[in-house]
Amino acid sequence: LDDALHRIIATLANKNEELQNFIETLNHTLGRVQVNSTQVVSDLEEEFDTLYSILDEMKESMTNNIKQETVRKSHELQNQLTQSTSALESAEELLEFANNALHITDEGDFTKAAKQIKDRVTMAPAFRLTLKPKATDNMTHLMVDFSQERQLLQGLKFLPVPGAPEIMLGDCLVIDNEVTVAWRMPVEDSKIDHYILEYRKTKHEGLPRVKDEQRWEVVDDIKSTEHTLQGAHSTVLLKNILRLRFDTRFMNFRVRACNKAAAGDYSDPVTLETRAFNFGFDSTSSHLNLKVEDRSVEWDPQGGKGVDSKVKGKENKGSDCLCLSDGFRSGTPSPKRTSLTRSPAPRGARDRFTGESYTVLGDTSVESGQHYWEVKPQKDCKSYSVGLAYRNLGKFDQLGKTSTSWCIHINNWLQNSFAAKHNNKAKNLDVPVPDSVGVYCDFDRGQLSFYNAENKQLLHTFKVKFTQPVVPAFMVWCGGLTLSTGLQIPSAVRSFQKTENGLGGSNSSICQQDPAEACDICLYDKLPSVDVP
């Protein structure tokens, strides 16, 4: 009954949360209706004002054309009228002179008058004028017919808007830090020009929340009904390839269709799981000679200069370092000491690494499941290690030299070496040193594998029976490391792990048996006891 009641309470709590989110969505939508209504009215008034302005401009222009035509015709006709009036006056005078000449009795005078009349008639303006108006009174060529335009205006309607697409959840894919979203239109629409996809990261499962802390990111001008996000937001760069960084467990997606005129409603949003292992460096654990910033760690020879030398002397005096035959000292404690069981210290409460253990741990423990992250060293990095450790790793302990740590170690100082290390045993790796290392941890199966992050070549695998949570661990000397997290397990690694788990054990692993009962595989030559000077 107690379990049943807890289930009922959990169900009610979830339903209450859903209802609260729905109420917030309704209130947000109601508010947006008022805001958007005001906006479209404003847009409508602006469009009509623009239309009125165009009509006024056209009216003024056409009126000016009519006025100019009126002036032109009036000028032409007025000129003709003036010329004709003058010609008429001249003709009337000549006519009167001719009539008077008929009454002349003297033959000489008559002949002289007749000759003058003839000459004047030849030069008279009345005989040179064109008796046809140079302009007509017709103005019909400046008339307009707005019947078609009137019909167009009367047929004005709101823009045809595409319907809302449907996201096909079964066809969406999240793999290799890429997200493919697919959708379809419920009704075929040949006028759709493109789609707009929006997404945002979220910590919440289910429907998107109005008050989510993340803003929507936009991918515009998508021509097909499918799109793959490959690194437009919070990306990780690997060999010039951008990958999405999954630093939240979920992502919301919605899409809308657009024609040449308008964008339609959003699709119903969907939530896809994008869970990945996210962590950073625990700066409280780092050696004072390591400079930790965000997701990078760098050797800093000036670090810790302010620490009191007397304190350092006391630390060195009580460090339980072992003196080995080659004259160097190692931070590796005795097997008896490492067999002691200590409860993992709370995060941030452990001592910093010191001495020759130039180490920093991750700030998040691995307690179950499968996880993957990548580490890229600086090109001139002289020595570094990448691996896992229990959180109670001693502050003088070096990675791979205790029973509580596993790593691969790359040394580019004096003598180059590339080896897998655990419990002060090492196996030289006969593979090229990669530019970046991928780390795969299957806590439940007890497996720790290292890969070339670029081509996913397996470098080494540890078979481990973890007895407590582990944390990512890093050592660096004379150089730096860059950490990439929020990564899914690459599909190539998953496929390889399935094959490996099907075949069982492999000589690529260092066995985790008791040292006294070690098999031949475990009897590797030890590396020099000191990894860094």
Side-chain angles (χ1 to χ4, degrees):
L1 290 176
D2 185 63
D3 291 342
L5 182 58
H6 277 88
R7 286 196 297 271
I8 292 173
I9 292 173
T11 301
L12 289 174
N14 289 336
K15 180 55 66 176
N16 288 345
E17 187 177 0
E18 289 179 4
L19 286 172
Q20 182 64 36
N21 184 41
F22 182 62
I23 291 171
E24 290 177 354
T25 301
L26 289 177
N27 287 327
H28 177 77
T29 304
L30 183 60
R32 293 301 301 171
V33 165
Q34 300 301 322
V35 171
N36 292 337
S37 175
T38 302
Q39 182 62 48
V40 294
V41 169
S42 175
D43 292 342
L44 182 65
E45 291 177 347
E46 184 178 349
E47 288 294 331
F48 270 97
D49 288 343
T50 301
L51 189 59
Y52 296 151
S53 177
I54 292 174
L55 289 174
D56 287 340
E57 290 177 1
M58 290 300 298
K59 178 182 177 181
E60 182 179 0
S61 176
M62 298 177 79
T63 300
N64 287 334
N65 288 339
I66 294 174
K67 290 180 179 180
Q68 290 174 5
E69 183 70 356
T70 301
V71 170
R72 184 187 70 79
K73 286 191 173 188
S74 297
H75 182 71
E76 292 285 349
L77 292 174
Q78 187 63 48
N79 285 340
Q80 275 192 296
L81 180 61
T82 301
Q83 292 174 2
S84 298
T85 300
S86 176
L88 177 59
E89 292 176 353
S90 176
E92 288 177 343
E93 181 186 355
L94 181 59
L95 177 60
E96 183 180 0
F97 179 75
N99 287 328
N100 293 331
L102 292 175
H103 300 289
I104 298 176
T105 57
D106 182 67
E107 182 176 357
D109 292 338
F110 180 80
T111 301
K112 183 178 178 181
K115 185 175 182 306
Q116 289 178 351
I117 293 171
K118 179 181 178 182
D119 292 339
R120 290 180 64 182
V121 167
T122 303
M123 300 298 296
F127 294 97
R128 295 186 178 186
L129 289 176
T130 301
L131 300 181
K132 180 180 179 181
K134 291 185 177 181
T136 68
D137 60 353
N138 183 25
M139 300 291 282
T140 56
H141 64 289
L142 295 176
M143 295 181 65
V144 295
D145 180 8
F146 287 150
S147 58
Q148 292 184 351
E149 288 77 4
R150 190 177 298 109
Q151 289 179 358
L152 287 174
L153 289 173
Q154 291 172 344
L156 284 178
K157 298 178 180 178
F158 291 106
L159 294 172
V161 178
E166 295 178 357
I167 295 181
M168 303 165 66
L169 195 58
D171 293 336
C172 296
L173 185 63
V174 181
I175 189 171
D176 291 338
N177 282 83
E178 295 181 353
V179 181
T180 298
V181 183
W183 58 89
R184 70 180 186 88
M185 294 300 297
V187 179
E188 186 175 351
D189 187 347
S190 61
K191 294 184 179 180
I192 290 178
D193 178 69
H194 65 278
Y195 297 91
I196 298 175
L197 175 67
E198 296 187 4
Y199 67 96
R200 67 179 179 186
K201 299 181 178 183
T202 180
K203 299 176 182 178
H204 308 291
E205 190 174 7
L207 293 176
R209 299 173 181 239
V210 173
K211 295 182 179 180
D212 203 295
E213 62 276 9
Q214 300 282 352
R215 65 183 180 87
W216 289 98
E217 301 289 336
V218 179
V219 182
D220 202 350
D221 201 29
I222 301 173
K223 298 297 184 180
S224 66
T225 56
E226 180 180 295
H227 184 74
T228 299
L229 292 175
Q230 295 177 310
H233 178 62
S234 296
T235 56
V236 178
L237 182 62
L238 175 64
K239 205 170 183 178
N240 298 323
I241 299 175
L242 286 174
R243 298 175 295 176
L244 282 171
R245 180 168 180 262
F246 293 155
D247 48 5
T248 59
R249 186 177 175 184
F250 302 99
M251 290 180 71
N252 302 140
F253 294 89
R254 64 186 185 185
V255 65
R256 65 199 305 195
C258 304
N259 55 28
K260 291 290 186 180
D265 288 335
Y266 287 106
S267 65
D268 289 336
V270 300
T271 301
L272 301 180
E273 186 174 16
T274 55
R275 180 168 49 187
F277 185 41
N278 281 279
F279 69 92
F281 293 113
D282 180 6
S283 59
T284 64
S285 71
S286 66
H287 193 288
L288 288 175
N289 284 116
L290 297 182
K291 182 180 180 182
V292 176
E293 291 183 357
D294 193 20
R295 298 188 181 274
S296 65
V297 58
E298 189 170 357
W299 163 262
D300 180 11
Q302 302 301 316
K305 290 295 185 181
V307 177
D308 184 37
S309 60
K310 293 183 179 180
V311 176
K312 286 187 175 182
K314 290 181 180 179
E315 289 180 346
N316 293 334
K317 184 176 181 180
S319 64
D320 284 343
C321 294
L322 301 180
C323 296
L324 303 181
S325 58
D326 56 6
F328 290 100
R329 295 194 302 173
S330 169
T332 307
S334 65
K336 188 173 183 179
R337 183 185 175 195
T338 57
S339 66
L340 296 176
T341 58
R342 289 190 292 177
S343 299
R347 175 179 169 181
R350 64 156 293 129
D351 294 332
R352 287 184 181 274
F353 289 97
T354 189
E356 294 172 346
S357 181
Y358 302 110
T359 304
V360 61
L361 301 179
D363 61 6
T364 304
S365 298
V366 175
E367 300 180 3
S368 63
Q370 301 173 354
H371 308 281
Y372 179 84
W373 60 95
E374 294 177 356
V375 180
K376 185 177 181 63
Q378 293 177 352
K379 288 185 178 181
D380 57 351
C381 189
K382 288 185 170 56
S383 180
Y384 63 94
S385 298
V386 178
L388 286 178
Y390 293 145
R391 192 159 184 84
N392 60 8
L393 182 68
K395 65 179 181 179
F396 296 102
D397 295 343
Q398 297 181 13
L399 292 184
K401 292 198 170 184
T402 70
S403 61
T404 59
S405 61
W406 304 259
C407 72
I408 59 170
H409 174 74
I410 294 90
N411 181 50
N412 298 316
W413 180 72
L414 296 181
Q415 183 179 0
N416 293 344
S417 63
F418 184 23
K421 300 177 62 181
H422 169 68
N423 204 19
N424 211 25
K425 298 182 179 68
K427 177 182 179 181
N428 290 318
L429 303 179
D430 190 20
V431 291
V433 176
D435 291 334
S436 56
V437 177
V439 183
Y440 168 81
C441 174
D442 187 339
F443 187 91
D444 302 320
R445 288 182 176 270
Q447 187 167 326
L448 173 62
S449 297
F450 299 89
Y451 289 85
N452 182 321
E454 294 179 1
N455 60 21
K456 302 304 181 285
Q457 175 192 14
L458 178 65
L459 305 175
H460 184 76
T461 295
F462 288 103
K463 300 292 185 180
V464 186
K465 185 176 181 181
F466 296 118
T467 59
Q468 57 180 284
V470 292
V471 289
F474 312 86
M475 185 283 295
V476 61
W477 176 73
C478 286
L481 302 175
T482 300
L483 177 64
S484 296
T485 65
L487 302 177
Q488 287 187 306
I489 299 171
S491 53
V493 172
R494 283 191 182 276
S495 299
F496 186 85
Q497 289 298 327
K498 288 180 180 179
T499 303
E500 281 290 291
N501 292 332
L503 294 177
S506 165
N507 282 1
S508 65
S509 63
I510 297 181
C511 295
Q512 302 303 301
Q513 299 182 21
D514 186 278
E517 301 175 357
C519 64
D520 291 340
I521 296 176
C522 294
L523 300 180
Y524 300 111
D525 293 333
K526 294 182 181 180
L527 287 182
S529 59
V530 175
D531 301 323
V532 295

